Amino acid sequence: MSLFDYTLKELQEKLHKQEITVSDLVDASFERIHEVDDNVQAFLTLNQEEAKKQAQQLDEARGSDASILYGMPIGLKDNIVTKGLRTTAASQILDNLDDPLYDATVVNKLKNAHTVTIGKLNMDEFAMGSSNENSSYQKTRNPWNTDYVPGGSSGGAAASVAAGEVLFSLGSDTGGSIRQPAAFCGVVGLKPTYGLVSRFGLIAFASSLDQIGPITRNVEDNAHLLQAIVGQDKMDATSANVDIPNYSEATKQDVKGMRIAVPKEYLQEGVNPEVKEAVMAALKQYEALGATWEEVSLPHSKYAVATYYLIASSEASANLARFDGVRYGVRSENADDMMEMFTKSRAEGFGDEVKRRIMLGTFALSSGYYDAYYKKAQQVRTLIKNDFEKVFEDYDVIIGPTTPTPAFKVGEKVDDPLTMYANDVLTIPVNLAGVPGMSIPCGFSSEGLPIGLQIIGKHFDESTVYRAAYAYEQATDHHTKRPNLGGDK
């Protein structure tokens, strides 16, 4: 069987009728991985033996009250800690972390829902990148055209879902790292409100920005996966104590009367004409569904990229100080004394992009520059957050493109970090403000590459985001398209 052919509900119905088993699903996932992953290179570590053993146990134990996610094969980004399963954050400095001692909170929640972890997914090292070319192990490719990048940093997570290797995956989003690869790979990716999902067990990049979220092939599956991982966690002081609604119920509501804001800054110069055309067509579709839209302004968005890279790099500088060859990480074997061991361990273990951001962050936090850079960036962050809050006084959601362009070719921008950073210009403001944002497919470029539509909601109002996304998805067929990877589907 092919996981491509079914939704989560359809697979659960087949399990309930005993037309298939959990072992069938897990076998199908590994068969697909062995068929296409040499080209896609989404997985860093496979959990084949343990996954098959778990599938047999679930087949024997299944009851009528099983979770909607029961037995479903899932992939996890490799910065989410998994007990007993290698976790590297795609970095050589964690190459020896073969047997972590605990599970991330989201992994525990998935185990409680009885999903089956298929393996760990490739990413930009320590989640620093927008193309998956910064992994120290391999370059993941876009399933729609393997000459192109899948986006990053959750490129492996998005590519694995788009390629039909797993039904869904978890990624992390610091400045667009779920939504941008979801757009490039033609899948659905949600960055939840900051604090809605526990970060305990997520290897930190920038602690005030990082958020774990679901990547799926359709909106309803996404809602079910989010439902399983949300909630306050005593192990994460930043997790929020809020009421959790039934997200899948939101998909049953239409969008008649919904008020949509379209920021003029999101459709200005620099946005590919095909992307703009796809977004405008989506807005017309919303009009046909009974929603209204108006152009608004988020005036401080133009400062978002500079603000983000100062804050994120500063937090990365502090978070990555622990990786020194003593407390965490691989220790250099070429050192003659303690100081040389520290410096060589970090020099050999970290890649160029990680070093670049550590140096930038250390500079921004240093004496004499803190007020001019880091403090000023935090002040601008507040202005960006206020822009969103002002718009949400009059509108239900904000809609625009997820990325300025479709996917670019492997190697095209890797040597130009400033251009690469600018690729996140439309996703970064969402992280700075802490609001939820989702990317859904809204069309294809003339080269057959997916285009993403970004839907942004109010704090902790994922339900409205799902409502808007599902209504559009059901009125179009973009989400039903599949990449012609290896000649099938």
Side-chain angles (χ1 to χ4, degrees):
M1 65 179 298
S2 170
L3 298 177
F4 264 147
D5 297 332
Y6 304 99
T7 65
L8 174 57
K9 276 187 175 179
E10 289 169 342
L11 289 174
Q12 284 298 344
E13 185 176 351
K14 285 183 171 294
L15 283 174
H16 182 70
K17 293 179 178 179
Q18 297 185 345
E19 295 176 4
I20 59 172
T21 64
V22 175
S23 294
D24 290 334
L25 293 175
V26 171
D27 287 344
S29 182
F30 284 114
E31 285 170 11
R32 181 65 174 172
I33 290 168
H34 294 312
E35 178 187 358
V36 303
D37 206 57
D38 283 346
N39 292 324
V40 178
Q41 297 188 59
F43 281 89
L44 287 177
T45 304
L46 291 177
N47 190 37
Q48 190 160 351
E49 184 177 341
E50 183 61 33
K52 291 193 173 189
K53 184 189 302 182
Q54 186 181 353
Q56 289 180 335
Q57 293 171 347
L58 291 174
D59 282 329
E60 294 168 1
R62 181 174 175 84
S64 59
D65 60 344
S67 156
I68 183 70
L69 300 181
Y70 192 96
M72 296 297 120
I74 186 170
L76 301 174
K77 187 174 179 179
D78 202 34
N79 59 347
I80 298 172
V81 176
T82 44
K83 184 177 181 179
L85 182 60
R86 189 167 185 252
T87 303
T88 69
S91 177
Q92 291 299 318
I93 205 163
L94 284 176
D95 188 60
N96 62 350
L97 190 55
D98 294 325
D99 188 14
L101 300 178
Y102 66 94
D103 281 320
T105 295
V106 292
V107 176
N108 280 325
K109 286 177 176 284
L110 290 173
K111 285 183 175 179
N112 290 337
H114 302 294
T115 63
V116 180
T117 299
I118 297 300
K120 305 300 287 294
L121 295 157
N122 194 29
M123 55 184 282
D124 288 298
E125 184 181 1
F126 281 102
M128 298 179 189
S130 303
S131 66
N132 228 264
E133 294 171 284
N134 291 332
S135 168
S136 70
Y137 294 100
Q138 61 197 36
K139 291 180 173 65
T140 301
R141 305 292 178 132
N142 193 315
W144 292 89
N145 186 329
T146 54
D147 290 334
Y148 289 76
V149 301
S153 61
S154 306
S160 65
V161 175
E165 296 178 307
V166 287
L167 194 64
F168 35 59
S169 65
L170 288 187
S172 67
D173 193 310
T174 308
S177 290
I178 287 173
R179 289 159 290 148
Q180 189 244 27
F184 281 6
C185 292
V187 292
V188 177
L190 174 76
K191 196 269 328 167
T193 304
Y194 182 81
L196 185 65
V197 178
S198 172
R199 292 183 299 108
F200 179 73
L202 175 69
I203 296 173
F205 165 15
S207 301
S208 74
L209 300 164
D210 297 340
Q211 188 64 93
I212 296 170
I215 298 175
T216 60
R217 282 203 301 275
N218 64 66
V219 173
E220 189 174 12
D221 287 2
N222 199 280
H224 286 300
L225 184 52
L226 180 68
Q227 197 81 50
I229 62 172
V230 296
Q232 189 179 26
D233 178 19
K234 65 181 181 180
M235 302 299 288
D236 177 7
T238 64
S239 67
N241 182 16
V242 295
D243 292 332
I244 304 298
N246 186 325
Y247 297 115
S248 60
E249 286 295 314
T251 62
K252 298 175 182 177
Q253 305 173 40
D254 60 40
V255 293
K256 289 179 181 176
M258 180 176 283
R259 299 162 299 171
I260 298 170
V262 180
K264 63 182 181 182
E265 291 83 3
Y266 286 21
L267 291 171
Q268 288 181 348
E269 184 179 353
V271 176
N272 181 289
E274 290 183 317
V275 171
K276 185 173 182 179
E277 182 181 347
V279 170
M280 296 308 296
L283 292 171
K284 288 182 180 178
Q285 183 64 63
Y286 275 111
E287 286 180 346
L289 294 170
T292 60
W293 66 273
E294 293 178 345
E295 188 177 84
V296 299
S297 178
L298 296 172
H300 295 97
S301 293
K302 60 185 175 183
Y303 305 117
V305 173
T307 299
Y308 169 83
Y309 278 100
L310 281 168
I311 293 173
S313 297
S314 296
E315 294 183 9
S317 172
N319 280 325
L320 271 61
R322 71 194 75 176
F323 299 99
D324 55 12
V326 177
R327 290 167 290 185
Y328 296 93
V330 174
R331 180 180 298 185
S332 175
E333 298 178 355
N334 304 311
D336 295 325
D337 56 46
M338 183 180 71
M339 290 306 298
E340 193 174 53
M341 182 270 293
F342 283 143
T343 56
K344 286 194 173 182
S345 294
R346 291 168 68 81
E348 295 168 10
F350 289 137
D352 289 344
E353 182 60 31
V354 176
K355 292 175 185 175
R356 183 181 292 119
R357 298 199 195 192
I358 289 173
M359 291 172 68
L360 174 60
T362 303
F363 175 79
L365 292 174
S366 62
S367 176
Y369 295 99
Y370 178 92
D371 286 349
Y373 293 106
Y374 182 74
K375 183 179 178 180
K376 181 65 69 176
Q378 291 287 16
Q379 291 170 333
V380 176
R381 179 182 191 171
T382 300
L383 296 176
I384 291 169
K385 177 175 175 287
N386 291 344
D387 284 348
F388 279 99
E389 291 178 349
K390 184 176 180 180
V391 168
F392 282 131
E393 290 176 2
D394 300 311
Y395 299 92
D396 298 306
V397 292
I398 296 171
I399 287 181
T402 307
T403 59
T405 67
F408 46 89
K409 285 191 173 183
V410 174
E412 186 176 327
K413 298 182 180 181
V414 70
D415 295 323
D416 186 357
L418 293 181
T419 300
M420 190 79 81
Y421 295 169
N423 196 65
D424 297 330
V425 65
L426 303 178
T427 53
I428 280 171
V430 172
N431 297 80
L432 292 171
V435 294
M438 174 184 280
S439 181
I440 59 174
C442 71
F444 294 85
S445 71
S446 56
E447 295 178 319
L449 297 168
I451 295 171
L453 183 75
Q454 183 172 209
I455 305 172
I456 304 166
K458 303 172 186 177
H459 286 103
F460 301 108
D461 192 16
E462 277 76 5
S463 291
T464 301
V465 174
Y466 279 122
R467 175 184 159 204
Y470 186 76
Y472 175 77
E473 182 184 79
Q474 294 305 296
T476 60
D477 65 352
H478 307 305
H479 67 290
T480 66
K481 301 292 198 308
R482 301 287 181 258
N484 185 29
L485 186 66
D488 65 333
K489 293 290 178 185

